[in-house]
Every structure is written in C-alpha cells, then in structure tokens.
Amino acid sequence: MKVLIVDDESHVRDAIRLLLPWDALGFERILDAESGQEAMQLIWQERPELAIVDVVIGDTFGMEVMNYINDKRFNTKVIVISGHDDFQYVRAMFILGALEYLLKPIEQDKLEAAVRRAVDRMRKEPGLGMEEFAVDQRFKTLSPDRQHGLLRKLFRPELSAKAYEELIQTAPHFQGFSSCVILHCAGCTLPVHKEDAMLKLSRLVNKMQEKLETDGKGTIFQNMKPSMDVVILIYGTDKTDFAEEILDLKKQTVGQGCVLRLGCSNICSFPGELEKAWEEAKTAADYVPGGGMFSAAEYQNGMHPLRLRQNSQAENALRSSVILGNIAAVEDALSQWAEKVMDGMPRTVGVYRRLWEEFFQLYKRWEAEDEASEDSVFLIGEEKSLGDILEGPWNGVEERMYQYFLEAAAKLIEKKRQSQNAAGMMPKVVDFLELNYRKKFSQQECADYFHVNKDYLSRAFKKYTGIGMARYLNNLRIEKAKELLRSTDLQVMEIADQVGYFDAKYFSRQFKLAVGLTPAQYRSGVLPEGAEAGQEDRK
C-alpha cells in the first residue's frame, strides 16, 4: 500500500514519516506533497490507498484535494490534519468523506490509531469506489456528519440512489419525509471584505445548521459550486409549514446581524425533485429585490436566469473613453452603457450581479489589449466584492457600483500612462544607474524618483535592456569593480564599498559568480580554467 502526506510545511511531513512504523502497518511507499496541485498529480499517478491531508495547504484548501478524489472516483481514504480548530473547514472535509481528524501538533498514539482504523476500513471495503455506499453494519445510528454527507450526495443524480438507500437503512425516519424546499444564497452577494462579516455569517450558518439538524428539519451546505454559496435544505411532510420554517431562519439572521439574499424554490418532492428545487432556488436568487437583512424571492413560473442585453455601440463608446483617458467621458459613457445593457430591467440582485460580471469581463479584455498590467483586476485600492457594494441603502447600490467601476477605469488609465512614460524614459533610467550605482537603493526608490509604478518600470527596463534592473545594476557594479582592481591598489573591502556593496564577503561571492574568479585572483591575473589570455576583458 501507499500513503500520501500533504502539508506545505516540510517539518510536518517529516514528522509524520518518522512517527509510525509504516512497514508494519502495511505501507510499502510513503509519498509527500507540499501543494494541492502536487498532491492531485501524485494521486493520479500513484493511486495511494491513504492520504493524510492538511486543511489548509499554502494558498489552497484540503477540500480541493478531496473534491478531486471524489470527482475521479478514487478509493483513497483521507485523514484530516489541521493546526487550527477550524470547524467549518474540517466539517466540509468530513462532508466530502474524510475518516478522521487530528489536531497539530500530531500525537503519535492518535495518529497510529487513526491510520489503523483507516487500514481496517480499507480491508472491510476492498475495491470500492468513493461513490459506492456500502452500509457499515457496525453502526446502528447515523452520525450527523455522515447524514450531512449523504444528504449532500442526494444532489448528484449518479450518487443519489445509493446515498438514499444508506440514509433510510441507518435512519429509517427519512422515509417519512416527502416534501422539501431549498433556499440558495449566491456567495458573490456576501460582503466578504466587511470587518467580521464572514465570522458572523459562519456563526449564523452553524447556528442554523445545528437547529435544523437537531429538530430533524433540514441542513445547510456550504462550498457547493459556486464555492461560497450557501444552500439551505428544509425537508418535511405534506403537513409541514415551510413558510414558518423560513420565518424562523429570518429571525435567526436578523438576530445575528447578518445579511442573506436568498432565492426560494417551490415545495418539491423529497428526494426525487431535489435537483429541480435547487435549480428553482438558484434562478429565484436572481430576482431578490435587495432591501433588508433577510431578502427572499420565491420561484414563480416563467422565471429564468437573467441575461443583460448586449450593446456594442455603448460598449465601444465606453472603451473609447478609457483609451482617451478622459475620466469625465468615462463616467458619462459608463452610465450610458449600464442603462443600455440593463434595458429597463427591475433592479434586482441578479441584475446587479450580471452588471458586475459584465464590467469586469470588459476590464480584463482592456487590460489584455493595453498590456498594461499583470496584476489582478481587483487591485484598485480598497478591494471590494459585489456583496460589499450591495451593503448599505438599496437605492444607493447603482451609485456605489458606478463609482467603483470608475475607480477601476481610472486605475487602468493611470497604469497605461505610467507604462508609456516608463518606456520613454529608459535612457534616463540607464543614466541614473550609471551615476548612482555606488548608492544602495531599491527598485521602488528608483520608481519613486521617476514617479512611475515599480512593476511598469521593471518590465519596461527589461524590454529596453534585455535584462532585469537588479541584474543590470549588479553587472554594472562588477564592471566598475574590475576597473578598480586593474587600475588601483585599493583593498577589496574598499572597492566593494565604492561600487555599492556594503558587505565585502557578499561582493566577493557576486564577483566570482559573474567573473569566475575571486577579486584577488582577478587582480593577480589568474584566468578561469580553460580561458584564453585576454578573454575576460573581451566579455
């Protein structure tokens, strides 16, 4: 068997390797990965029977690795590890099928016990894919996490039959539920950058989920596609008052001081019409009117996913104003473009969502055409999301959105201007380096001197000279040092100081890397091995 250890910290991976007698446990190979991408590649190539996965792997989450395992139908069992007691992420991994959870620093006895249980599970389920839900007869009742995972799988047509079979075998009362309602909140409408907003939302969702599951009335899913969406499932019988259950959710939302904008499905059959109910809820979410802390729109016949009207004339006018760099013209063209594409549609959350998406699609295209930036399109001062824009009085949403769009356009115009200025001033930058190579300064200080963006200056300089500014400056200093070594009897320490190196040892290392000789060897006339006389000075 094979085990894969996934953690971005090498000492954690090494510790797990050393903690257990892997051979005695039946593992012939120990693999490790420091990133989610590397882990998925190894899982594809090696098919490990067991993976020990950190909840947070650098800039990615362990959930991505588990989603990959599930999507590919691999039979890799997963033990979760984490340096933080982060219930939401850990719970999400349990939902996706994780077997165990260990908190760092990992204790040897707990790790060994978890691995032995995983091995025992493998032996009891030889050859089963992740989608095959063999009922474990050892359990007479269904744990909350397992129940949550099975309910989640009901949304996937290829898994729903097996999942429901296990659900009713281990929790027979589910056979009595015949109806359901789904509420959907699009993650992009959440104010993710507002202070404490996500913490408050997490507390609200946990409270709602705990109450729904404790009362046996439903559950909540997060990190379903799209990843940040919140999906609330309420199930019951023909006599269930779903309106009353939704009212209770509203009271909890207001009580926690949160904002939720939800689309609500019609009452559908459970579990047969779950997919239909979810589609209705997602569609209805586009029609939420917006105002209030708990805004909901019920699905009505004739509702469909909203689409804005394309208007190439208004789009071209907006693009032209950006090219000309006239902010007043941009502001006028922006409002005209928005009015044209929204075409009199009622101002709902869905309409503003589409407008937001349309503008930043245009923005990305403008950036590519101008080659103005390699930075994220959202790095325009204070980063915002649509949810941040939706916060505040509803009648001010358009004004706030237009202002943010205008700031983005102004930033792009400024980036382009700086880029053009930077390209034209390169001879001056080269002269500046020639005159100031003795000083210690950074690229940022050089950019500030010329009043341009550092990234633009760096790219323009490399395009002009063929090499980066740091390398150019280092080469310049080395050449000046060679001149001093040939023409003076200054000590190496003094020469290092005169050419801009403030550490003689560092200067000597850089000199040898560039020339192939130490400063002393160069001064004495020693040539690099295999070099001909005069070769060094001809470089």
Side-chain angles (χ1 to χ4, degrees):
M1 293 191 298
K2 304 172 190 174
V3 58
L4 172 64
I5 304 167
V6 186
D7 197 293
D8 59 321
E9 297 179 289
S10 60
H11 70 274
V12 175
R13 301 195 302 273
D14 292 341
I16 294 174
R17 277 178 172 270
L18 297 172
L19 278 175
L20 298 186
W22 292 102
D23 289 343
L25 291 168
F27 292 93
E28 300 165 354
R29 292 185 61 193
I30 306 173
L31 311 167
D32 65 49
E34 63 178 355
S35 68
Q37 189 63 39
E38 184 183 1
M40 289 182 275
Q41 185 175 356
L42 282 171
I43 291 169
W44 173 260
Q45 294 172 346
E46 301 289 344
R47 305 290 203 279
E49 285 79 7
L50 177 65
I52 300 174
V53 182
D54 194 4
V55 170
V56 180
I57 314 163
D59 295 330
T60 60
F61 295 104
M63 290 179 292
E64 295 182 30
V65 176
M66 294 204 63
N67 275 321
Y68 179 78
I69 291 171
N70 288 342
D71 289 343
K72 298 298 182 183
R73 308 291 189 267
F74 293 149
N75 193 30
T76 302
K77 306 301 182 188
V78 176
I79 293 173
V80 181
I81 58 175
S82 175
H84 308 280
D85 194 8
D86 196 326
F87 178 75
Q88 277 300 112
Y89 290 135
V90 173
R91 184 182 181 88
M93 293 185 75
F94 270 118
I95 291 166
L96 292 171
L99 300 180
E100 304 275 349
Y101 168 53
L102 300 173
L103 190 63
K104 298 178 187 176
I106 298 171
E107 299 176 29
Q108 182 177 12
D109 57 340
K110 292 183 178 179
L111 175 61
E112 183 169 354
V115 171
R116 288 188 182 280
R117 284 193 291 269
V119 171
D120 184 59
R121 180 74 173 267
M122 293 177 216
R123 289 170 179 163
K124 291 180 182 297
E125 301 178 5
L128 289 182
M130 291 298 289
E131 78 281 17
E132 296 183 26
F133 303 98
V135 178
D136 190 337
Q137 298 301 325
R138 294 174 299 166
F139 297 102
K140 302 298 183 182
T141 61
L142 195 61
S143 72
D145 287 320
R146 185 60 177 155
Q147 174 178 309
H148 193 275
L150 291 173
L151 288 169
R152 182 186 179 105
K153 290 183 174 80
L154 293 179
F155 286 83
R156 298 175 60 179
E158 74 277 17
L159 306 180
S160 59
K162 291 284 187 179
Y164 187 65
E165 179 183 347
E166 180 173 348
L167 189 65
I168 61 175
Q169 285 190 40
T170 51
H173 66 278
F174 271 92
Q175 287 181 296
F177 299 138
S178 58
S179 304
C180 68
V181 162
I182 290 179
L183 297 98
H184 180 95
C185 174
C188 66
T189 66
L190 300 172
V192 296
H193 299 106
K194 185 179 179 182
E195 186 177 2
D196 293 335
M198 296 311 292
L199 178 60
K200 289 167 66 176
L201 178 67
S202 179
R203 289 172 178 166
L204 171 65
V205 169
N206 283 337
K207 182 177 179 181
M208 283 182 171
Q209 183 168 334
E210 181 181 3
K211 189 173 190 307
L212 284 169
E213 291 180 354
T214 301
D215 294 346
K217 295 179 178 180
T219 191
I220 297 181
F221 304 104
Q222 290 178 279
N223 299 310
M224 298 180 78
K225 296 179 181 180
S227 61
M228 285 188 63
D229 291 3
V230 177
V231 182
I232 304 174
L233 166 64
I234 305 173
Y235 42 74
T237 67
D238 295 341
K239 298 180 180 180
T240 298
D241 187 343
F242 287 102
E244 185 65 29
E245 300 301 331
I246 295 171
L247 179 60
D248 185 58
L249 296 176
K250 179 176 182 178
K251 291 177 181 177
Q252 293 181 58
T253 302
V254 174
Q256 291 291 316
C258 291
V259 174
L260 282 180
R261 301 176 175 91
L262 298 146
C264 180
S265 74
N266 289 320
I267 298 174
C268 296
S269 67
F270 178 84
E273 292 185 326
L274 272 179
E275 190 175 6
K276 174 189 174 185
W278 191 23
E279 288 302 320
E280 288 183 357
K282 286 188 288 186
T283 299
D286 275 349
Y287 292 81
V288 174
M293 299 184 70
F294 186 94
S295 305
E298 295 183 12
Y299 179 81
Q300 305 291 332
N301 289 334
M303 280 186 176
H304 54 81
L306 297 178
R307 296 286 184 271
L308 299 185
R309 183 182 295 276
Q310 298 299 307
N311 191 301
S312 58
Q313 185 176 355
E315 182 181 315
N316 290 338
L318 178 56
R319 174 61 174 140
S320 296
S321 65
V322 172
I323 291 174
L324 293 173
N326 187 324
I327 294 297
V330 172
E331 186 172 12
D332 184 56
L334 180 63
S335 61
Q336 290 190 38
W337 167 78
E339 289 298 324
K340 293 286 186 183
V341 297
M342 289 191 290
D343 194 30
M345 300 171 72
R347 300 308 196 246
T348 65
V349 168
V351 168
Y352 287 138
R353 177 182 176 183
R354 297 299 186 272
L355 188 66
W356 181 271
E357 293 168 350
E358 286 285 337
F359 176 80
F360 281 108
Q361 285 177 9
L362 294 177
Y363 191 99
K364 288 179 182 179
R365 191 159 72 240
W366 299 342
E367 278 195 316
E369 290 170 356
D370 291 345
E371 298 182 349
S373 174
E374 295 176 359
D375 302 327
S376 166
V377 297
F378 296 117
L379 297 182
I380 55 173
E382 183 183 355
E383 185 178 354
K384 294 183 184 293
S385 69
L386 174 60
D388 300 315
I389 299 296
L390 296 177
E391 284 290 284
W394 185 251
N395 58 11
V397 169
E398 273 185 45
E399 183 180 348
R400 294 193 295 273
M401 188 176 292
Y402 290 171
Q403 184 60 39
Y404 192 61
F405 290 168
L406 194 62
E407 291 173 11
K411 190 69 173 179
L412 184 61
I413 290 169
E414 178 63 15
K415 286 179 179 180
K416 184 178 180 180
R417 184 189 66 79
Q418 289 184 352
S419 181
Q420 291 170 340
N421 290 346
M425 67 175 60
M426 286 307 102
K428 295 180 181 179
V429 175
V430 170
D431 289 343
F432 176 83
L433 296 181
E434 290 279 355
L435 293 170
N436 294 278
Y437 67 88
R438 297 179 181 86
K439 299 178 181 179
K440 184 178 182 181
F441 61 89
S442 65
Q443 288 189 30
Q444 183 62 62
E445 289 170 326
C446 185
D448 291 343
Y449 181 84
F450 286 97
H451 307 290
V452 294
N453 178 276
K454 178 177 75 71
D455 294 330
Y456 292 137
L457 178 64
S458 177
R459 285 194 291 272
F461 187 90
K462 187 170 184 179
K463 185 176 182 180
Y464 179 74
T465 64
I467 60 175
M469 187 180 294
R471 184 179 172 189
Y472 185 93
L473 183 59
N474 189 65
N475 290 350
L476 179 61
R477 286 169 170 166
I478 295 296
E479 289 301 316
K480 298 296 182 182
K482 286 162 64 176
E483 291 178 13
L484 292 173
L485 286 166
R486 288 194 300 263
S487 62
T488 74
D489 58 359
L490 292 172
Q491 294 183 9
V492 171
M493 183 183 300
E494 294 175 298
I495 291 175
D497 185 65
Q498 286 202 20
V499 298
Y501 292 101
F502 300 94
D503 184 308
K505 290 183 179 179
Y506 178 73
F507 162 66
S508 296
R509 287 198 300 271
Q510 291 299 311
F511 191 93
K512 187 170 184 179
L513 283 172
V515 180
L517 299 169
T518 66
Q521 289 172 332
Y522 182 85
R523 170 173 272 168
S524 67
V526 176
L527 292 173
E529 184 178 349
E532 299 178 2
Q535 177 183 356
E536 182 59 41
D537 286 334
R538 291 198 302 270
K539 286 186 178 179

